[in-house]
């Protein structure tokens, strides 16, 4: 009998049209970004639409993703931009 590995969770940053960054978690960051672009999923994007998925980080569990999201949300904007720059450089 094989044990299914836990479903991966991701913490992600989305850039809004006004330049701000939105942080969230999902088990499918691409699907969630598409929802944000379609105006679903977060009131954050009602004032400024989602334009780019700029950072994705895999986490071991939903709990890990929630903890990482909380840590990222506590960062100042320059530190969040550094995460984005590091992610872009590794692509």
């Amino acid at each position: 009998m094989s044990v299914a590995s836990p479903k991966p969770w991701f913490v992600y940053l989305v850039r809004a049209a006004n330049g701000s960054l939105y942080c969230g978690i999902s088990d499918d960051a691409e699907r969630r970004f598409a929802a944000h672009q379609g105006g679903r999923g977060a009131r954050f994007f009602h004032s400024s639409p989602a334009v780019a998925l700029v950072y994705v980080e895999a986490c071991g569990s939903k709990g890990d993703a929630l903890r990482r999201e909380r840590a990222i949300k506590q960062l100042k904007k320059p530190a969040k931009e550094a995460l984005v720059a590091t992610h872009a450089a590794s692509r």
Side-chain angles (χ1 to χ4, degrees), residues 27-46:
D27 60 351
D28 184 339
E30 295 286 341
R31 184 194 73 228
R32 189 71 172 138
F33 173 61
H36 290 316
Q37 284 189 304
R40 300 177 314 279
R43 276 184 278 170
F44 182 93
F45 296 111
H46 288 200

Side-chain angles (χ1 to χ4, degrees), residues 15-70:
R15 184 160 322 272
N18 66 4
S20 60
L21 292 168
Y22 172 83
C23 185
I25 69 163
S26 178
D27 60 351
D28 184 339
E30 295 286 341
R31 184 194 73 228
R32 189 71 172 138
F33 173 61
H36 290 316
Q37 284 189 304
R40 300 177 314 279
R43 276 184 278 170
F44 182 93
F45 296 111
H46 288 200
S47 61
S48 185
V51 294
L53 180 63
V54 294
Y55 179 79
V56 179
E57 178 181 329
C59 297
S61 68
K62 185 175 183 180
D64 291 340
L66 285 166
R67 282 184 286 280
R68 184 64 177 140
E69 177 191 30
R70 191 175 319 120

